[in-house]
């Protein structure tokens, strides 16, 4: 089980702070999120960075085997 935590615009699109998922990789986990604003969530996924147990990635094929936490980091103003 992996916890996905959402921040800023990602949190607004999904509607919750975090969800628990079981998925083989990051892409499957993200596709499985039940967002309150699905179109906004879909668009954001392409622009976000992800921290997979503290390691930054944009590779959505990253395995989640043994991963405890994924942080979804949308682009922030000014950076």
């Amino acid at each position: 089980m992996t916890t996905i935590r959402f921040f800023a615009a990602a949190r607004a699109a999904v509607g919750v702070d975090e969800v628990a998922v079981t998925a083989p990789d990051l892409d499957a986990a993200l596709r499985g999120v039940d967002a309150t604003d699905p179109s906004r969530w879909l668009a954001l996924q392409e622009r976000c960075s992800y921290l997979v147990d503290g390691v930054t990635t944009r590779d959505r094929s990253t395995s989640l085997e043994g991963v405890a936490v994924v942080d979804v980091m949308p682009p922030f103003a000014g950076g």
Side-chain angles (χ1 to χ4, degrees), residues 26-79:
L26 183 56
D27 187 61
L30 297 174
R31 284 186 285 115
V33 171
D34 184 23
T36 56
D37 187 343
S39 59
R40 184 174 180 194
W41 171 233
L42 185 61
L44 272 171
Q45 290 178 48
E46 299 300 319
R47 298 182 9 230
C48 289
S49 294
Y50 303 95
L51 294 178
V52 178
D53 277 345
V55 178
T56 302
T57 188
R58 287 183 173 265
D59 181 0
R60 292 177 42 183
S61 68
T62 299
S63 173
L64 294 185
E65 183 177 340
V67 171
V69 177
V70 172
D71 292 323
V72 179
M73 309 298 291
F76 293 94

